[in-house]
Amino acid sequence: MAKHETKTIEEVLDHASRYLNEKDIAFLSHVYEYAKKAHEGQVRKSGEEYIVHPVQVANILIDLEMDPATIASGFLHDVIEDTGITFEELKDEFGEEVASLVEGVTKLGKIKYKSKEEQQAENHRKMFIAMAKDIRVILIKLADRLHNMRTLTHLPEEKQRRIANETLEIFAPLAHRLGISTIKWELEDVALRYMHPQQYYRIVQLMKQKRQEREEYIDHVINEIHTQLKDVNITAEISGRPKHLYSIYRKMVLQQKDFNEIYDLLAVRVIVNSIKDCYAVLGIIHTCWKPMPGRFKDYIAMPKPNLYQSLHTTVIGPKGDPLEVQIRTEEMHEIAEYGIAAHWAYKEGKSNNNPEDMAKQLAWFREILEWQNETSDAEEFMESLKVDFFSDMVYVFTPNGDVIELPSGSVPLDFAYRIHTEVGNKTVGAKVNGKMEPLDYKLQTGDIVEMMTSKSSYGPSEDWLKITQTSQAKNKIKQFFKKAKRDDNVERGREMIEKELKSMDLSPKEILVDENIQVALEKFHFNHVDDLYAAVGYQGLTSQQVVNRLTEKLREKEKPTDLEDSIKEVQQEVENRKNRSSGSGVSVKGVDNLLIRLSRCCNPVPGDEIVGFITRGRGVSVHRADCPNISSEEESRLIDVEWENEIQSRKSYNVDLEISGFDRSGLLNEILHVVNETNTTITFVTGKSDKNKIATIHLTILIHNTDHLKRIVDRVKQIRDVFTVQRIIH
C-alpha cells in the first residue's frame, strides 16, 4: 500500500495551478482561510489540526482535475456538520452551488435515531439522493473517505473494522460503478489491511519475494513488444500493470488458488493513439505469443456500463507463463482511471462532457430517486441498493443487441421489469437464446433474452415476489398489487394486524384507537389508516412493524419510573428466596433478596464490566456494560452490580463466539481440537460457507472468566486461515 505524504496548503494550491487560472487559485485560497477559521481549535484523533483533513480531501479532488466549486466544497465539506456555520452562511459567502454540494455531503448528525445502523442507513440514503441530483457530491465523499482510510490507524480496532467493512460494501463499489479505478483500488487495498490483516500482510510478503523476478520478466516482454511495434510504425506507451492486493485476495478466496497460481499477476498495458492501432497491436501480440482460449474480451466494441473501454487478452508468454495484456487509447485510459470524474474534469477550452455517455452512466441514479419515493425505511433502501447495484453483475442482451446489466442471480422477470414496467406485468413466458425457459431461470452473461407478453394477461403472480432478485422488480410487482387489489389489501392488512395483537393478548379494539394509529401513520409516512392497512396487505410492511408502533405508548406507560419502587416490586416477587445471587455469581450492591439472572443477549462472564437492569416480573437482568441492548434504556432502571469473587473459580458461563476464515478442508476440526485442548466444554457448534469461500463458525463454550476466554481466543487466532474471532452479542 503506497505511502501518502501530507500536503501543505501551498503544495495543494501549486498542484491546482497546473490547470486552474489565477482567479480560481485566489478563490480557493479564500475558501481555505474560511475553512481554517471555522475549524480553529479542532483536532483529529492523530493530534494534528483538523484543517489538515479538508486540505488533503481538496488535493485528491485536484488529482481528479475537478472544477473550482467541487474543490472548494472539499475544503468546506465538514463545516456544516462540525462547526456552527449554516447552509445560509455558506450560500451568502460562496454561492448556492458550493453550499448545496457541502450540504449534500453533510451527514445527518443532529437527528436522533434508535440505532447506529438506522442512522448510518439514513446518512447513506441522503448521500445517494444528493448524488442523484449532482454527481459531484459522491466525488467529494469518495475523496473524504479515501483520506479517512489513509489515516485509519489512529482509530480503535473495532472502529477500524467497521469503517473498512462499510468501505468495501458501499464506497469501493460506488467508485467502481463510476469507473474511478484509481480510488476504487486504494479503498479496497486499505480496507483489506484492516478487515483481514493476516491475509493482507501475507500477500504483501509474497509480492515482495517475487518482485525482482516479475520486474525482469515484464521488462523483457515490454522490450519485445516495442521491437514488434517499431517494425509497423505504431507509437505506444507500454508499462507493467501492478496487481492490486485486494484483487489477489479475492482470487485466492473465490477460486481457492494459491498465490503462485494467479497468473495475471504478470500484466502489461499498451496505450496507443487510435482504436485502429488497438486492434493492430492485438494482432501483433497474438502473433508473438499464443492466446489462451476464452480469455479475450473486447470492451471497446462493447463498453462496460461505467464506460470502461479496453481490449483484454491473456497469452502464453516467453517463459510459458500466462501473461495478461490490456490495450487502449489515451482517452480510454483516462476514463479507466478517473471514470465519471474524467467527464467533470475542469479544463479550459475543452469539455469532456458527452451528453449521451453521461446519460448512460447516470441512468441508474434515476432509479435511486424512484426507490426513494417507494420506501420509507432507510435500511431497506440501502439493502436494496447493495443487492441491485453493488453485487456481482451479469450482462445480457435484448433481441436488438442492447446490453442490460443485472445483479448476479437475476431471472427473466428481473430483465422484463428493467426493460419496462408493462413488459413485466404482461409477461407470460421467456425465451433465452431462442429456447423457452422457466421464469426462474438464472440468467448468465451473454444470454439473449426475449420476453413473451400478452395483452390479456391478468398481471403478476404473488409467487413472482419470491422468484425475482432485484428490488426494482419486487417494487414494481408490489405496486401492481397495491393498485389492483387495494380493497382486498386493506381488509387483509387489518386482519393481519388484529391477529398479531391477539397473539400478544391485546385487544384490537383497545389498541386500534386514533391516538395509537396516528403514531403509526407518522412513523410510516401515511395520511390515512387504510393506506397503512393496505401496505401490510401487499407486504410493503409487516404486521409486527405496525403493531410495534401501535403499542409504543402502551409500553411506555408500563415502564417503572422510580428505582426504589422497581426494586421493591422485584423483592416482593422473590421475598421467600434466601439466596440473593441465585447461583449467578453476581450480587446487587447494598440490596438483598433479589432474583438475579445473567442476560443471554451478551452472556457476561467474570472479568467483564457489568450493570444490572430492573425488569418487570423477572428480577434483575445482568448485562455487559457495553451491551447495546441497554444503551438506550432509561437510566432510572439501571442498578450497580458486582461479581462475587468466591464463585468465579467454581462456576461456568456460556459464551458465544463467531469465527471467520477461509473455508478449507479440516478447518472446523482444527478449531474444535484446539478448543478441546484447553479443557473447555463446547455445548453448541454450527457453521456455514458463503459463495466467497468464507467460513463462519459459531461456537457456544463454557468458560470461568475473561482470562480463560482470552486464552481460547488467542489459541484459535493462531490457526492457519482463521481471519477473525469475536464474541457475539445477540
Side-chain angles (χ1 to χ4, degrees):
M1 188 175 63
K3 294 282 185 184
H4 295 274
E5 293 182 4
T6 300
K7 301 291 184 182
T8 65
I9 183 59
E10 291 77 18
E11 290 172 322
V12 170
L13 293 177
D14 183 60
H15 183 33
S17 65
R18 291 179 302 110
Y19 69 97
L20 296 179
N21 59 39
E22 291 183 7
K23 183 180 176 182
D24 292 331
I25 298 299
F27 168 68
L28 292 179
S29 180
H30 170 54
V31 173
Y32 163 75
E33 293 297 338
Y34 186 94
K36 183 180 180 182
K37 184 177 180 181
H39 288 295
E40 195 170 4
Q42 296 178 349
V43 294
R44 304 192 81 209
K45 294 290 185 183
S46 61
E48 62 190 1
E49 289 184 40
Y50 193 88
I51 190 61
V52 171
H53 168 63
V55 169
Q56 308 316 304
V57 171
N59 192 59
I60 293 168
L61 293 169
I62 292 167
D63 285 339
L64 299 176
E65 296 195 356
M66 298 306 297
D67 61 292
T70 308
I71 299 167
S73 302
F75 280 121
L76 299 165
H77 74 274
D78 277 334
V79 296
I80 293 180
E81 180 182 355
D82 293 337
T83 75
I85 291 172
T86 65
F87 172 84
E88 291 300 326
E89 288 173 324
L90 275 187
K91 182 179 174 183
D92 291 342
E93 185 73 25
F94 301 112
E96 186 162 1
E97 182 182 14
V98 170
S100 296
L101 287 171
V102 174
E103 212 255 343
V105 181
T106 302
K107 297 176 186 173
L108 301 180
K110 297 176 182 177
I111 300 176
K112 292 186 178 180
Y113 297 89
K114 297 196 306 297
S115 67
K116 287 183 179 178
E117 290 77 12
E118 182 182 353
Q119 180 175 2
Q120 196 70 341
E122 194 62 56
N123 288 337
H124 286 146
R125 168 150 74 169
K126 183 182 183 224
M127 179 181 70
F128 278 106
I129 300 312
M131 176 181 70
K133 295 174 183 174
D134 191 330
I135 189 61
R136 290 175 295 175
V137 167
I138 199 56
L139 298 178
I140 299 164
K141 190 62 185 175
L142 285 172
D144 173 44
R145 176 52 59 109
L146 181 57
H147 184 251
N148 281 334
M149 291 299 289
R150 289 174 179 174
T151 56
L152 206 56
T153 185
H154 301 290
L155 297 180
E157 185 176 341
E158 184 275 329
K159 199 166 185 179
Q160 288 175 347
R161 290 178 55 79
R162 179 176 61 76
I163 293 173
N165 184 61
E166 180 187 55
T167 298
L168 286 177
E169 282 194 348
I170 302 291
F171 292 98
L174 251 181
H176 172 67
R177 285 293 256 166
L178 298 174
I180 313 174
S181 62
T182 184
I183 288 181
K184 171 193 182 252
W185 289 120
E186 187 178 346
L187 286 176
E188 288 180 337
D189 284 357
V190 181
L192 176 64
R193 173 185 165 189
Y194 292 102
M195 286 295 290
H196 304 297
Q198 291 176 321
Q199 300 298 312
Y200 173 86
Y201 287 111
R202 177 184 169 215
I203 293 170
V204 168
Q205 193 59 37
L206 290 168
M207 292 279 280
K208 283 181 180 177
Q209 291 171 2
K210 301 261 185 179
R211 176 172 294 166
Q212 185 176 350
E213 180 183 330
R214 281 200 317 275
E215 288 177 351
E216 290 175 356
Y217 181 83
I218 290 295
D219 287 343
H220 172 68
V221 169
I222 289 174
N223 290 335
E224 179 66 25
I225 296 174
H226 266 305
T227 301
Q228 295 291 333
L229 296 186
K230 189 175 181 181
D231 291 342
V232 293
N233 296 318
I234 292 179
T235 303
E237 180 185 327
I238 309 172
S239 61
R241 181 180 65 84
K243 191 69 177 175
H244 295 275
L245 303 178
Y246 185 74
S247 63
I248 296 172
Y249 166 78
R250 290 263 300 171
K251 291 200 172 186
M252 291 173 70
V253 170
L254 292 178
Q255 301 175 17
Q256 299 185 52
K257 288 188 174 180
D258 190 63
F259 181 83
N260 294 324
E261 297 177 288
I262 301 176
Y263 50 77
D264 56 358
L265 286 172
L266 303 174
V268 293
R269 179 177 291 143
V270 183
I271 300 176
V272 293
N273 295 325
S274 67
I275 293 177
K276 182 181 72 173
D277 286 349
C278 288
Y279 289 100
V281 171
L282 177 70
I284 290 168
I285 297 292
H286 284 180
T287 301
C288 290
W289 301 294
K290 186 175 181 180
M292 292 180 64
R295 296 289 301 171
F296 169 64
K297 293 176 183 175
D298 187 344
Y299 294 120
I300 293 179
M302 196 174 76
K304 291 184 178 181
N306 61 14
L307 305 185
Y308 176 88
Q309 288 185 290
S310 189
L311 296 178
H312 290 196
T313 187
T314 303
V315 297
I316 303 299
K319 296 183 179 179
D321 293 322
L323 170 73
E324 184 182 59
V325 182
Q326 294 180 353
I327 310 164
R328 60 180 69 147
T329 65
E330 182 64 43
E331 185 180 357
M332 292 174 190
H333 181 62
E334 187 175 354
I335 291 174
E337 292 292 299
Y338 302 113
I340 200 164
H343 291 275
W344 280 95
Y346 183 80
K347 298 178 182 177
E348 289 186 290
K350 178 184 175 184
S351 173
N352 282 346
N353 287 330
N354 181 323
E356 188 176 333
D357 284 347
M358 292 291 284
K360 286 180 185 176
Q361 191 161 3
L362 300 179
W364 62 286
F365 288 169
R366 289 195 296 274
E367 293 180 29
I368 291 175
L369 285 174
E370 287 180 25
W371 288 359
Q372 155 69 7
N373 296 327
E374 291 170 4
T375 176
S376 59
D377 189 305
E379 293 181 67
E380 179 189 342
F381 173 80
M382 283 310 301
E383 285 306 312
S384 298
L385 212 58
K386 289 178 189 178
V387 169
D388 281 19
F389 291 128
F390 298 157
S391 58
D392 292 333
M393 311 303 286
V394 295
Y395 302 92
V396 297
F397 295 93
T398 68
N400 294 329
D402 295 327
V403 180
I404 303 296
E405 181 188 43
L406 292 165
S408 181
S410 292
V411 299
L413 284 170
D414 295 301
F415 172 89
Y417 280 103
R418 182 61 58 88
I419 298 298
H420 195 278
T421 302
E422 281 306 300
V423 174
N425 287 342
K426 297 296 182 182
T427 289
V428 293
K431 280 185 180 179
V432 180
N433 303 323
K435 176 185 172 185
M436 290 297 297
E437 295 286 359
L439 293 179
D440 62 354
Y441 168 86
K442 294 287 189 290
L443 296 174
Q444 306 294 321
T445 293
D447 284 344
I448 302 171
V449 187
E450 180 182 359
M451 301 309 300
M452 319 300 292
T453 61
S454 170
K455 291 183 179 179
S456 59
S457 167
Y458 289 107
S461 159
E462 289 193 7
D463 289 339
W464 288 9
L465 288 169
K466 301 174 185 174
I467 295 172
T468 49
Q469 299 298 307
T470 63
S471 301
Q472 182 192 30
K474 292 181 187 295
N475 285 333
K476 297 297 183 186
I477 295 167
K478 289 176 182 178
Q479 281 182 4
F480 175 86
F481 291 124
K482 180 180 178 181
K483 293 175 182 176
K485 301 183 178 181
R486 178 172 170 79
D487 291 342
D488 290 345
N489 286 331
V490 170
E491 188 59 34
R492 185 187 299 118
R494 189 200 310 270
E495 289 173 359
M496 292 168 68
I497 289 171
E498 289 181 353
K499 183 178 179 181
E500 185 72 31
L501 288 168
K502 288 175 182 176
S503 72
M504 299 169 64
D505 293 328
L506 295 172
S507 166
K509 188 175 180 180
E510 293 177 5
I511 299 299
L512 295 173
V513 295
D514 289 346
E515 182 184 12
N516 295 335
I517 289 172
Q518 191 58 40
V519 172
L521 292 179
E522 289 174 4
K523 163 62 183 175
F524 298 112
H525 308 294
F526 291 118
N527 295 321
H528 194 275
V529 66
D530 282 354
D531 297 330
L532 183 68
Y533 291 148
V536 176
Y538 66 75
Q539 301 177 49
L541 292 172
T542 67
S543 57
Q544 179 66 55
Q545 283 177 297
V546 175
V547 166
N548 284 344
R549 293 302 168 187
L550 290 169
T551 58
E552 206 170 72
K553 292 193 174 182
L554 177 67
R555 294 198 304 275
E556 284 293 326
K557 290 176 183 177
E558 289 182 344
K559 288 181 180 178
T561 56
D562 184 82
L563 180 60
E564 291 185 9
D565 290 344
S566 301
I567 292 176
K568 287 177 182 177
E569 182 182 324
V570 176
Q571 286 176 323
Q572 185 65 38
E573 293 167 4
V574 292
E575 62 180 356
N576 295 323
R577 296 176 183 267
K578 301 299 180 184
N579 186 350
R580 67 178 183 177
S581 68
S582 301
S584 66
V586 176
S587 63
V588 177
K589 293 181 180 179
V591 184
D592 289 338
N593 201 29
L594 281 178
L595 174 62
I596 298 173
R597 65 184 182 85
L598 301 179
S599 172
R600 289 188 177 182
C601 64
C602 56
N603 285 331
V605 301
D608 288 331
E609 290 187 27
I610 53 176
V611 64
F613 179 68
I614 302 293
T615 66
R616 283 183 62 83
R618 292 180 296 165
V620 176
S621 174
V622 177
H623 295 257
R624 282 166 51 187
D626 60 352
C627 178
N629 294 326
I630 63 161
S631 59
S632 60
E633 300 288 357
E634 293 181 7
E635 289 188 12
S636 62
R637 301 178 69 185
L638 301 180
I639 190 170
D640 288 336
V641 292
E642 60 186 1
W643 294 105
E644 296 180 329
N645 293 329
E646 69 275 11
I647 301 291
Q648 292 185 24
S649 60
R650 298 187 276 112
K651 188 169 176 59
S652 294
Y653 298 82
N654 279 320
V655 166
D656 294 322
L657 294 180
E658 181 180 273
I659 303 163
S660 70
F662 176 63
D663 184 21
R664 61 169 168 82
S665 176
L667 178 65
L668 177 59
N669 286 337
E670 202 169 328
I671 291 170
L672 297 179
H673 178 70
V674 165
V675 174
N676 283 326
E677 279 186 339
T678 64
N679 295 319
T680 302
T681 301
I682 300 173
T683 61
F684 179 78
V685 60
T686 185
K688 63 180 180 180
S689 177
D690 64 17
K691 65 180 180 181
N692 297 325
K693 297 297 290 179
I694 299 296
T696 304
I697 299 166
H698 289 98
L699 293 181
T700 301
I701 57 178
L702 292 177
I703 64 145
H704 301 306
N705 50 43
T706 51
D707 290 338
H708 182 188
L709 176 62
K710 187 177 185 303
R711 286 199 303 275
I712 297 167
V713 170
D714 289 345
R715 288 288 303 279
V716 174
K717 279 184 174 179
Q718 293 171 14
I719 297 173
R720 180 173 64 88
D721 292 324
V722 166
F723 301 153
T724 62
V725 183
Q726 55 185 338
R727 195 169 162 190
I728 300 301
I729 296 179
H730 298 286

